Amino acid sequence: QSFKLLGFLDVKSVPCARESVLYGSLGSLVVGLGHFLATSRVRRSCDFAVGGFICTMLGYWFYCRYNLAQHRIRQRMLKEGMRNKMLFEGSSLDPERKHVGNERSDS
């Protein structure tokens, strides 16, 4: 079973969606309660709470997606490096192989 936020955002399968909603809820609570304690104005505090939810959720969404993209890039580079290591190991194209000026031929 999946939970769709606003009818289109599947929180269970979209990366970073669940954490963004949870942090947005926490941000909403902190901002709304803080504004209420400072001013004692209920309606204005609710407005601030909604704004806090949106800002916190979007901020964490972009932060999480950026880190996820970086992680995927690092994984791809590591995978390609491991493939190249296996492909070129022991050959003359191996970057770790020490090249001597007067290499002897085995023939």
Side-chain angles (χ1 to χ4, degrees), residues 47-87:
D47 293 341
F48 269 79
V50 169
F53 174 77
I54 292 170
C55 291
T56 307
M57 186 180 77
L58 288 177
Y60 188 76
W61 172 268
F62 288 121
Y63 169 76
C64 183
R65 295 298 287 202
Y66 178 74
N67 284 339
L68 185 64
Q70 280 186 331
H71 180 70
R72 286 182 178 167
I73 289 170
R74 283 192 301 267
Q75 272 185 328
R76 194 175 329 127
M77 288 172 53
L78 185 62
K79 186 178 179 181
E80 186 175 332
M82 288 171 57
R83 185 181 60 84
N84 287 341
K85 172 84 172 156
M86 288 189 307
L87 186 65

Side-chain angles (χ1 to χ4, degrees), residues 39-51:
T39 63
S40 296
R41 296 172 64 190
V42 176
R43 182 173 169 92
R44 187 81 168 150
S45 297
C46 289
D47 293 341
F48 269 79
V50 169

Side-chain angles (χ1 to χ4, degrees), residues 3-49:
F3 173 70
K4 292 194 178 218
L5 184 67
L6 300 175
F8 65 90
L9 180 63
D10 189 7
V11 176
K12 188 174 181 181
S13 65
V14 176
C16 301
R18 179 178 177 268
E19 292 85 5
S20 296
V21 171
L22 290 174
Y23 280 116
S25 300
L26 182 63
S28 170
L29 180 70
V30 168
V31 170
L33 189 62
H35 189 269
F36 177 74
L37 291 175
T39 63
S40 296
R41 296 172 64 190
V42 176
R43 182 173 169 92
R44 187 81 168 150
S45 297
C46 289
D47 293 341
F48 269 79

